[in-house]
Amino acid sequence: MSQEIEIGLGKKGRLAYSLDDVSIVPSRRTRDPQDVSTSWQVDAYEFDVPVIGAPMDSVTSPATAIAMGKMGALGVLDLEGLWTRYDDPQPLLDEIAQLSADKATERIQQIYAEPIKLELIVERLHEIRDAGVTVAGALSPQRTQDYYSTVLEAGVDLFVIRGTVVSAEHVSKDHEPLNLKKFIYDLDVPVIVGGAANYTAALHLMRTGAAGVLVGFGGGAVSANRNTIGVHAPMATAIADVAEARRDYMDESGGRYVQVIADGGMGDSGSFVKAFALGADAVMLGSPLARASEAPGKGMHWGAEARHQTLPRGFRTNVGTVGSLQEVMFGPSHNADGTTNFVGALRRAMATTGYVDLKSFQRCPVTVASSH
């Protein structure tokens, strides 16, 4: 049952929990870490590990998308990023990494003012496909209708529609909004869409036919949504709410299972692990992968929110470099701060609680030690 708190005489608010408020509780059974399975599947595409590289220029380039794919994960390319605006974006990536903090946002806005080029969308997606890994690209809801046909013709396997908040009922007075249900129905590829942060919004997105729903607003380490527009979603409650929507939608649809993908606020492996215990099927990672030595941002991290031309809702931040992509994903780890060996941490937690696969691990007991 939801618990409401009286903020004042005229307003109540629901009590919600962040991932830091929640802890996993071991059960009576334990297992060996090598005996658990971390595989997951969206539509016809199966992956060895439930990790999705966020569509952020500081995280996913064609090269890192290929590397993630060969490691059994999925990298999603931002099709509105530098790789589809410039023939050679590396000098600009290097420049952004070296900008002073007081100049970074304004210069990022200038750099991203360059138009998106259709031929570069095709070229980048072909580069990933030629490497033999699953091809995934992301567009914002505002740009989807402009570029989706080019994306499909280029041969994308999974299509991601990602925004701060994506709804199934967008209303506009001056243009025809994206009709998600019709759009998804007409496509031949699975669509992952979000973010959503509550039961009702997620259920409506599931009813559009989406193969997966992103939970949260993404870019936790580089987001200024709370400071600029007052929007924030404590992730533990959001994931659990959307997982309940998935269960009810399964009953409503006669058994159709929609993947729940946690997106944002997974800066350490402990938060990553807890997302699954709360009901996630996979996690979209930003800052952890931005810390890899191969990351395009060279230890600097930023997302789409930082490039908005009139109201930037994000910033560039220094997350540092902790090791190779292999070490961030699979170890070996040489520290205890939760920045490396994410998959090893997940395996260890599953083994400690006695669960053999991710779907059963979603039933893991948790406790709350509220910081409120």
Side-chain angles (χ1 to χ4, degrees):
M1 181 180 293
S2 298
Q3 183 178 353
E4 284 197 334
I5 303 295
E6 186 177 278
I7 298 167
L9 292 177
K11 198 73 169 182
K12 293 181 180 179
R14 184 184 176 203
L15 183 63
Y17 299 98
S18 70
L19 291 168
D20 287 341
D21 295 326
V22 176
S23 296
I24 293 169
V25 180
S27 61
R28 63 183 176 86
R29 181 180 290 115
T30 55
R31 300 183 186 274
D32 292 332
Q34 64 266 27
D35 293 339
V36 306
S37 170
T38 60
S39 66
W40 77 292
Q41 184 170 340
V42 54
D43 204 83
Y45 301 95
E46 187 169 349
F47 304 93
D48 294 336
V49 292
V51 173
I52 303 177
M56 305 167 83
D57 279 340
S58 53
V59 174
T60 307
S61 64
T64 56
I66 291 167
M68 291 178 211
K70 291 185 175 180
M71 292 179 185
L74 174 67
V76 182
L77 190 67
D78 180 3
L79 300 178
E80 299 172 40
L82 297 181
W83 294 94
T84 60
R85 297 175 192 262
Y86 296 93
D87 291 324
D88 180 13
Q90 194 57 56
L92 294 165
L93 289 163
D94 295 342
E95 180 187 347
I96 292 173
Q98 295 165 9
L99 290 169
S100 61
D102 61 326
K103 301 291 185 184
T105 298
E106 184 177 4
R107 179 60 181 139
I108 286 172
Q109 290 173 313
Q110 293 169 354
I111 290 171
Y112 281 90
E114 178 74 14
I116 297 167
K117 299 173 178 61
L118 298 182
E119 64 273 17
L120 287 178
I121 292 177
V122 174
E123 182 180 326
R124 305 311 185 194
L125 293 177
H126 280 180
E127 182 181 347
I128 299 170
R129 175 166 296 285
D130 290 346
V133 302
T134 303
V135 184
L139 290 171
S140 64
Q142 296 84 357
R143 298 292 188 99
T144 293
Q145 293 190 105
D146 295 334
Y147 299 113
Y148 81 91
S149 59
T150 300
V151 175
L152 294 180
E153 288 168 10
V156 74
D157 295 315
L158 289 165
F159 187 67
V160 178
I161 303 175
R162 184 179 188 248
T164 301
V165 178
V166 177
S167 80
E169 299 179 8
H170 183 73
V171 178
S172 175
K173 289 184 178 180
D174 60 5
H175 69 275
E176 183 65 27
L178 176 66
N179 183 327
L180 267 179
K181 189 168 187 176
K182 182 179 186 305
F183 176 80
I184 292 173
Y185 181 81
D186 289 342
L187 292 186
D188 291 329
V189 300
V191 177
I192 296 170
V193 62
N198 61 52
Y199 173 95
T200 302
L203 185 60
H204 284 205
L205 289 177
M206 292 173 186
R207 286 171 176 164
T208 67
V213 171
L214 297 170
V215 184
F217 305 139
V222 293
S223 173
N225 279 316
R226 194 169 189 171
N227 294 339
T228 56
I229 61 173
V231 171
H232 175 66
M235 281 297 287
T237 297
I239 295 168
D241 281 354
V242 176
E244 180 69 4
R246 175 186 59 204
R247 187 186 69 81
D248 288 350
Y249 178 69
M250 280 186 68
D251 292 341
E252 173 187 303
S253 63
R256 185 172 181 270
Y257 189 93
V258 178
Q259 306 297 318
V260 171
I261 301 163
D263 181 15
M266 308 290 156
D268 55 58
S269 59
S271 298
F272 170 76
V273 170
K274 285 184 277 189
F276 296 98
L278 289 160
D281 297 290
V283 170
M284 182 170 275
L285 292 180
S287 58
L289 300 179
R291 298 189 193 111
S293 55
E294 301 96 323
K298 306 299 181 186
M300 291 293 184
H301 184 38
W302 66 94
E305 298 84 1
R307 67 184 184 227
H308 197 280
Q309 295 297 311
T310 58
L311 182 63
R313 299 182 299 279
F315 47 85
R316 188 215 58 180
T317 190
N318 186 354
V319 296
T321 299
V322 297
S324 67
L325 188 59
Q326 173 74 29
E327 289 170 323
V328 171
M329 294 266 288
F330 300 104
S333 181
H334 303 295
N335 55 56
D337 61 2
T339 60
T340 50
N341 202 357
F342 274 60
V343 176
L346 176 60
R347 285 184 172 277
R348 178 68 59 176
M350 293 172 67
T352 299
T353 52
Y355 296 97
V356 295
D357 56 38
L358 293 173
K359 282 191 170 57
S360 61
F361 185 55
Q362 293 170 350
R363 301 194 297 269
C364 174
V366 300
T367 58
V368 174
S370 176
S371 60
H372 292 271

